[in-house]
Amino acid sequence: MALLKEGYLYMANRFERFDSNIFATRLLGGQKVICMTGKEAAKVFYDNARMIRSGAAPKRFRQTLLGEKGIQTIDGFNHENRKRMFISLMTEKRIQDIVRIYRREWESAIFRWENQKEVLLYDDVTVILTKTACEWAGIPIAEDEIVERAGQLSSLFQSGAKIGPKHWQGRINRNLLENWIQKLVEDVRDKKLEPKEETALYQISWFQDGNGKLLNTEVAAVEVLNVIRPIVAIAIYIVFIALSLYNYPAEKNKLLTGDRTLYEMFVQEVRRYYPFFPFVAARVRKDFLLEYYPFKAGTLVLLDLYGTNHHPDLWDKPDQFLPQRFKARRENPFDFIPQGGGDYIKGHRCPGEQLTVEMMKASLDLLVNKMDYQVPAQNLTLDMAKIPSFPNSKFLITRIKSRIHE
Ligand code: HEM
């Protein structure tokens, strides 16, 4: 409960209090948990000889965000096999395809927005992303179904850490979404539906697990949702892009010069600076010692993602928004980990990272170069005790004018 109540600051507060990158406590039903932060901690966390994922993800997240028996919960050969399939969906061509669909949908939304008094950016971008994700993944969706599905998909990543009705609504929505996608997987296997071979729906429907068998339809639905749900979740980063353009006008002015390397740096800093997933969970595979600190087999371990991205040993002025810090940054898989770290195939690092960055760059371009808008007075504060945390106002914009034909 302390973790759910203190949100992103739960671990940070204790690392500071204990002046340490590691502490043990009891959480999630009284079990012993080791919490860690920083680059060295990430190296240990992503070492397959020391950690496994099976049995690690807390139930409340499996029942909402993740689903049961998805890629996040498996290890070894089966994981690698499934992960290769996910990575194969993210070729350069397929990333260009999704960016093209997304830009088309956003540009047509700008014309609608011009006639509206106000727009809640988070809500409208969620709808655009749902439509984009479905088209890209080969999922048929009727025009009048999109808003409802957008709400259901966004409740999956909104409800994991909530208590009470919001959490239960997330569970209900997961069931509704899984039933919807299971039916589509069955239709693909019965040849009643024939999505293109390059799409996620096709690839997952026909994917053979380590034992040479098709996934059962429940697990296939979980994996299809593992593609479209996080695409919709990019809406949170897009609100953070709009928020940083508003909060840091000098950084926005730099973007007006059109230098594309600045766009990359800006979105990387958005991913570093703002909170998203607070931590990832694993279990100790077998007993080991880390600088005299005992890790007992089976113990739950949480790696602090947000804290590592703000760690003072790794980042100069970590609490300032400074895109130029990415100018000369050396790539390292363990210190910048908003979407997990380590190796993409062997480990659990997010396979959608490049897709996310490209969608964010497109969003930044659309907000900076393709439309004018006003940001009226509203509550833009982030509540760090809420997971995920984003502006309560959902980022209201008014007086939208297209600049598409300039
Ligand atoms: C909103 C942007 C995103 C964020 C913040 C994000 C974050 C994450 C994080 C923290 C993990 C867990 C890493 C770990 O367990 O070590 C993860 C895993 C994963 N993500 Fe993402 N992600 C995003 C976008 C995407 C996209 C666009 C896709 C696919 C289209 C995707 C698909 C996945 C999958 C399938 C996994 C599980 C990988 C595995 O267990 O091997 N994510 N993501």
Side-chain angles (χ1 to χ4, degrees):
M1 289 314 259
L3 178 66
L4 296 183
K5 279 192 182 142
E6 289 176 53
Y8 296 90
L9 300 179
Y10 172 82
M11 288 196 213
N13 289 341
R14 284 154 185 81
F15 292 130
E16 196 179 310
R17 194 185 310 154
F18 306 139
D19 189 20
S20 166
N21 285 331
I22 185 165
F23 67 88
T25 183
R26 292 201 178 267
L27 281 174
L28 305 159
Q31 60 181 313
K32 183 175 171 188
V33 181
I34 298 174
C35 300
M36 326 192 276
T37 190
K39 186 169 160 183
E40 296 312 314
K43 277 187 195 157
V44 173
F45 185 89
Y46 283 103
D47 178 351
N48 289 336
R50 292 170 156 176
M51 300 287 168
I52 51 170
R53 297 302 179 99
S54 159
K59 198 169 167 202
R60 56 170 38 251
F61 291 103
R62 294 200 314 275
Q63 285 167 328
T64 51
L65 180 73
L66 303 173
E68 297 289 353
K69 303 200 171 127
I71 184 162
Q72 295 90 345
T73 63
I74 56 178
D75 297 287
F77 174 75
N78 275 344
H79 171 263
E80 247 188 69
N81 188 33
R82 232 184 263 187
K83 193 65 175 280
R84 283 185 201 282
M85 181 271 292
F86 273 98
I87 298 280
S88 76
L89 302 172
M90 312 290 167
T91 59
E92 210 181 308
K93 181 210 171 260
R94 291 299 284 149
I95 292 179
Q96 282 170 6
D97 286 347
I98 194 168
V99 170
R100 189 166 5 88
I101 300 169
Y102 176 62
R103 292 186 81 104
R104 184 196 69 207
E105 289 304 317
W106 184 302
E107 289 187 6
S108 81
I110 295 179
F111 293 114
R112 282 197 307 278
W113 293 342
E114 281 188 309
N115 299 314
Q116 281 175 229
K117 247 183 98 186
E118 54 182 45
V119 168
L120 287 179
L121 193 65
Y122 176 77
D123 285 353
D124 277 42
V125 168
T126 307
V127 171
I128 294 173
L129 285 168
T130 300
K131 194 167 178 204
T132 302
C134 288
E135 181 175 333
W136 182 76
I139 296 169
I141 184 164
E143 209 47 50
D144 60 4
E145 200 187 346
I146 297 173
V147 171
E148 192 185 359
R149 295 293 182 202
Q152 292 170 350
L153 286 161
S154 87
S155 102
L156 297 185
F157 50 84
Q158 298 280 357
S159 60
K162 299 275 181 335
I163 301 161
K166 277 207 174 145
H167 178 71
W168 288 98
Q169 195 54 52
R171 290 192 189 194
I172 292 168
N173 285 331
R174 169 153 285 280
N175 288 338
L176 292 170
L177 289 163
E178 285 187 10
N179 289 340
W180 170 48
I181 302 290
Q182 270 182 53
K183 174 81 181 61
L184 295 179
V185 170
E186 283 162 13
D187 285 352
V188 172
R189 290 178 180 171
D190 294 343
K191 304 275 166 65
K192 289 185 199 151
L193 181 64
E194 297 194 20
K196 282 193 190 159
E197 203 175 320
E198 63 189 5
T199 61
L201 181 59
Y202 180 98
Q203 290 297 330
I204 294 170
S205 297
W206 295 116
F207 171 76
Q208 295 181 357
D209 224 343
N211 56 13
K213 289 194 183 144
L214 296 179
L215 298 174
N216 71 42
T217 50
E218 287 90 348
V219 177
V222 166
E223 298 300 26
V224 172
L225 288 172
N226 264 335
V227 173
I228 61 170
R229 180 206 67 244
I231 293 175
V232 176
I234 301 173
I236 293 191
Y237 273 153
I238 292 164
V239 166
F240 288 145
I241 289 174
L243 183 64
S244 24
L245 288 170
Y246 177 71
N247 282 341
Y248 308 104
E251 295 298 339
K252 180 176 179 182
N253 285 339
K254 290 184 199 163
L255 298 171
L256 294 171
T257 63
D259 178 350
R260 292 288 139 175
T261 57
L262 299 179
Y263 284 68
E264 171 90 20
M265 285 154 50
F266 192 99
V267 304
Q268 297 296 26
E269 181 67 347
V270 168
R271 293 196 318 134
R272 185 199 71 82
Y273 181 77
Y274 289 101
F276 203 142
F277 280 97
F279 58 79
V280 277
R283 283 196 189 273
V284 178
R285 183 186 283 277
K286 55 177 193 246
D287 293 4
F288 68 93
L289 282 177
L290 183 71
E291 291 170 15
Y292 307 109
Y293 200 99
F295 283 66
K296 285 251 167 266
T299 308
L300 192 62
V301 180
L302 303 182
L303 174 68
D304 181 11
L305 301 180
Y306 177 75
T308 303
N309 293 335
H310 287 253
H311 202 292
D313 294 348
L314 301 172
W315 304 94
D316 187 29
K317 302 189 185 117
D319 296 325
Q320 289 185 25
F321 184 84
L322 301 170
Q324 58 273 27
R325 71 172 79 246
F326 281 93
K327 193 168 184 180
R329 185 181 171 271
R330 280 217 195 144
E331 288 281 329
N332 180 300
F334 299 110
D335 58 10
F336 176 45
I337 53 172
Q339 296 179 228
D343 185 78
Y344 285 102
I345 301 275
K346 293 201 181 313
H348 287 263
R349 184 174 184 156
C350 175
E353 206 164 4
Q354 196 53 38
L355 187 152
T356 304
V357 169
E358 293 306 320
M359 295 285 274
M360 289 174 73
K361 281 180 358 199
S363 311
L364 183 58
D365 176 51
L366 288 157
L367 285 166
V368 171
N369 299 312
K370 302 293 176 204
M371 57 193 267
D372 287 326
Y373 57 92
Q374 303 277 313
V375 182
Q378 59 193 290
N379 181 1
L380 290 173
T381 48
L382 296 184
D383 180 354
M384 295 298 282
K386 257 177 50 186
I387 301 174
S389 167
F390 70 105
N392 290 327
S393 67
K394 296 184 169 181
F395 210 86
L396 181 71
I397 55 173
T398 56
R399 302 169 79 175
I400 296 145
K401 286 267 164 300
S402 164
R403 284 176 41 214
I404 292 169
H405 297 301
E406 272 179 20

